[in-house]
Amino acid sequence: MSKGFFIAFEGGDGSGKTTQIKLLAKYLKDRKVPVHLTKEPGGCDMADKIRNLLVKGDVNSLDDLSEFLLFSAARHEHVRTTIKPMLDNGHSIITDRFYLSSYTYQSFAGGLDFEFVENITKKAIMGCEPELTFVLDINPIHGIARARERQLFQDELRMESKKLAYHEKIREGFLKAAETSDNIIVIDAEQSVEEIHAEVIKHLENRKLI
Ligand code: TYD
């Protein structure tokens, strides 16, 4: 049985993760590479329930610690019931967000102690580390404009309705995180959709993941 790969896409609002994940999934499908697409917060029944608490409702209803613990609980269930069993069975997985979002949103921007966040995260992910994480980097002014076009703000308002300075901090957090690991790749998300896709493929080939 060939070993599957596990990769994550990260980035701020409107960075184009969903478009790139769809394109990559099609590329892989055309080459008969079976892949499971998933998304955080969510990815399994219990995590989807937790997602509703996190992304809907009043922007100030949870503090950063409660938010992080809920993201972590959702992540742990996602890994325990879906990601780990699938990887163990040789499947490949692409996730739209993973723990780098918690490092960035809850620790770097939210102010939670990094060691604490890292320790809980290590427990939550049960050793399931993505081989590669793509950070799609975009100026938040452009990202927010794109997200608005998609009317993202209508349904799931809680996380996205924060101020520009916050989104700039998120961008900085992802870029800083990328400096800490060769497995985190920053891609300029202001390029065309095709250029970004080509970069993604190039990196996956370079790492011999495809
Ligand atoms: P979502 O509606 O899934 O949108 P997208 O991923 O396309 O931005 O929103 C999820 C929100 O949750 C998003 O604003 C990022 C945030 N988030 C965290 O703050 N921490 C996390 O660990 C995760 C996974 C997401």
Side-chain angles (χ1 to χ4, degrees):
M1 183 174 63
S2 65
K3 193 185 164 300
F5 58 76
F6 178 28
I7 61 175
F9 280 78
E10 299 273 7
D13 295 326
S15 56
K17 290 180 284 109
T18 312
T19 304
Q20 287 304 322
I21 288 170
K22 280 191 194 146
L23 271 182
L24 177 57
K26 179 170 184 325
Y27 178 94
L28 294 170
K29 197 171 164 221
D30 290 347
R31 283 155 188 80
K32 311 261 181 284
V33 180
V35 67
H36 175 73
L37 303 187
T38 188
K39 174 173 176 62
E40 290 208 345
C44 65
D45 284 354
M46 185 49 78
D48 285 338
K49 287 183 184 144
I50 298 174
R51 174 187 176 86
N52 283 335
L53 301 175
L54 284 162
V55 299
K56 296 190 176 167
D58 175 9
V59 78
N60 295 315
S61 58
L62 290 168
D63 75 358
D64 291 303
L65 176 61
S66 300
E67 235 173 49
F68 170 64
L69 295 172
L70 286 171
F71 277 118
S72 298
R75 179 162 303 126
H76 179 61
E77 287 306 306
H78 185 202
V79 170
R80 186 179 73 79
T81 66
T82 306
I83 294 179
K84 191 169 190 315
M86 291 195 90
L87 290 175
D88 287 348
N89 279 318
H91 292 275
S92 293
I93 295 184
I94 302 173
T95 184
D96 184 340
R97 298 194 183 279
F98 199 46
Y99 70 80
L100 210 60
S101 281
S102 283
Y103 285 11
T104 303
Y105 287 81
Q106 279 69 53
S107 177
F108 190 78
L112 291 188
D113 176 65
F114 179 71
E115 252 180 55
F116 168 74
V117 168
E118 190 182 37
N119 284 336
I120 303 275
T121 297
K122 280 196 177 139
K123 282 268 183 211
I125 67 171
M126 305 170 80
C128 293
E129 271 288 343
E131 274 111 340
L132 268 190
T133 296
F134 293 107
V135 169
L136 301 189
D137 178 53
I138 189 166
N139 179 332
I141 295 179
H142 301 154
I144 291 167
R146 275 198 204 167
R148 281 219 170 96
E149 274 169 32
R150 296 200 321 260
Q151 295 183 314
L152 183 84
F153 285 67
Q154 282 193 347
D155 298 337
E156 295 191 339
L157 197 64
R158 215 182 79 74
M159 307 295 298
E160 284 85 6
S161 63
K162 298 191 175 178
K163 295 211 160 46
L164 180 62
Y166 176 78
H167 293 282
E168 278 167 351
K169 186 98 181 155
I170 297 301
R171 182 187 198 187
E172 192 189 337
F174 278 128
L175 294 178
K176 281 226 154 44
E179 289 169 11
T180 67
S181 168
D182 289 343
N183 296 335
I184 304 173
I185 311 268
V186 178
I187 296 186
D188 175 2
E190 313 242 0
Q191 302 178 93
S192 71
V193 166
E194 294 74 23
E195 283 168 326
I196 298 168
H197 177 59
E199 259 199 62
V200 167
I201 299 297
K202 182 190 77 188
H203 287 292
L204 292 173
E205 285 174 349
N206 286 349
R207 297 292 175 112
K208 308 217 177 328
L209 292 174
I210 57 173

